[in-house]
Amino acid sequence: MTNIEKPIRELLENGVTYLPQPKDRLNVEGLATAWENFRLLPEETKKRFSVDSETIDPDNGYLVRNGGKRPEGGAFDPDKCFFHYRQKVLSPPVLEQIYKSLSDQELRVCKKFLEYCNIFYTEMDLLFFALLDRLSRKIGNKHPIRYSSNTVLRALHYGGATNPNGYTAKPHVDRGFLTFHIRDSHPGLVLEGEDGVQKPYDRNDDNLLVFLGKKAEKFGLRPVPHGVMQSKPNQSRWSFVFFGHIH
């Protein structure tokens, strides 16, 4: 990665930075189309990729979030239209069983979507590792920063409904160390500055937005609260986000 010092400095000072989108290696429009095609599959088809944590072997790679039933990676969340992707979560035997139950058209859609997920996950994971390596040299002397393989790529789709304050996602802090906001279909993401004022981020398809999550507090850094506002009434919105975790 070239010119990494500037984004590292901005992360340490402000908790937010922008990196160039690696467009030569990532086709965001292709991922968006694949996600839309997957999302439009019958609910019963998509639910084949979901899991019930109460019946999961703890060694199969699924993580339970906050003791709840939703898996943290590698599966479709039928309650919220999210797909959580991590490599090696859906094992070949599990995928084979799912694929056998699909029609030819459904199989093509699912394979294409997972193929795109794998490409984006791999690229974002490498980028996260590079940033983590440089950050650890700056702030990890007393508290070493250790990479966690629990990193996850998430495809999201928000419907048109909002809460009374106009949010489709209420202000919150991500629980990981770094969040990579890859792309969204419409404006809506707002970031909260140190002054408590919420402002839209610099939405540019050439940029990759990166900001700190809750784990950054361990190193004396400020996590960045953020939420999603609905830009137009009854407007749905998709986005792709990568969550970088540490131990």
Side-chain angles (χ1 to χ4, degrees):
M1 186 193 305
T2 60
N3 194 25
I4 194 174
E5 292 304 324
K6 182 174 182 288
I8 292 296
R9 184 174 66 254
E10 290 176 342
L11 278 173
L12 294 175
E13 293 177 356
N14 308 314
V16 179
T17 192
Y18 295 89
L19 298 172
Q21 280 273 11
K23 289 187 173 183
D24 57 327
R25 298 185 298 277
L26 298 180
N27 179 358
V28 180
E29 288 74 19
L31 174 60
T33 299
W35 170 227
E36 179 69 3
N37 290 338
F38 180 88
R39 190 181 67 80
L40 293 176
L41 290 173
E43 290 300 314
E44 288 305 312
T45 299
K46 291 182 289 188
K47 285 182 179 180
R48 297 181 193 277
F49 290 87
S50 65
V51 294
D52 180 350
S53 65
E54 293 180 349
T55 63
I56 293 176
D57 185 327
D59 296 325
N60 75 353
Y62 287 110
L63 300 180
V64 179
R65 180 176 184 175
N66 298 330
K69 294 185 178 181
R70 181 159 63 82
E72 188 58 30
F76 179 71
D77 182 343
D79 297 322
K80 301 178 179 179
C81 195
F82 297 170
F83 192 94
H84 314 267
Y85 180 86
R86 271 193 301 122
Q87 290 174 323
K88 300 180 180 179
V89 172
L90 293 175
S91 65
V94 171
L95 275 177
E96 184 178 354
Q97 288 299 114
I98 295 174
Y99 288 160
K100 285 180 179 179
S101 68
L102 305 179
S103 68
D104 290 343
Q105 187 268 341
E106 291 173 336
L107 183 62
R108 286 192 296 271
V109 168
C110 293
K111 281 190 171 183
K112 178 60 68 175
F113 176 55
L114 289 177
E115 177 185 333
Y116 270 109
C117 285
N118 186 54
I119 292 171
F120 274 75
Y121 176 94
T122 300
E123 186 71 26
M124 292 298 104
D125 197 49
L126 288 171
L127 183 56
F128 172 59
F129 192 83
L131 288 176
L132 208 59
D133 177 64
R134 188 57 59 94
L135 282 168
S136 67
R137 301 179 194 181
K138 297 283 188 180
I139 63 176
N141 292 331
K142 295 182 179 180
H143 303 283
I145 305 177
R146 293 182 297 151
Y147 167 86
S148 169
S149 60
N150 292 337
T151 54
V152 59
L153 175 75
R154 183 175 296 170
L156 308 95
H157 181 270
Y158 299 98
T162 62
N163 67 34
N165 293 321
Y167 287 100
T168 53
K170 295 179 181 179
H172 63 282
V173 170
D174 291 337
R175 67 188 186 90
F177 183 67
L178 283 179
T179 296
F180 296 71
H181 183 80
I182 301 170
R183 184 77 66 84
D184 51 25
S185 59
H186 300 289
L189 178 66
V190 290
L191 305 177
E192 184 177 301
E194 291 187 75
D195 56 3
V197 177
Q198 292 185 341
K199 300 177 181 179
Y201 82 107
D202 182 13
R203 191 171 182 269
N204 186 327
D205 289 349
D206 292 330
N207 290 337
L208 177 73
L209 170 66
V210 183
F211 54 89
L212 294 174
K214 188 168 181 60
K215 284 290 182 70
E217 291 179 332
K218 178 180 178 181
F219 305 96
L221 302 174
R222 185 187 77 91
V224 178
H226 57 284
V228 178
M229 300 286 292
Q230 191 175 49
S231 55
K232 293 182 181 180
N234 302 315
Q235 184 180 64
S236 62
R237 176 181 181 273
W238 56 255
S239 64
F240 303 113
V241 182
F242 177 88
F243 299 98
H245 291 277
I246 62 173
H247 287 294

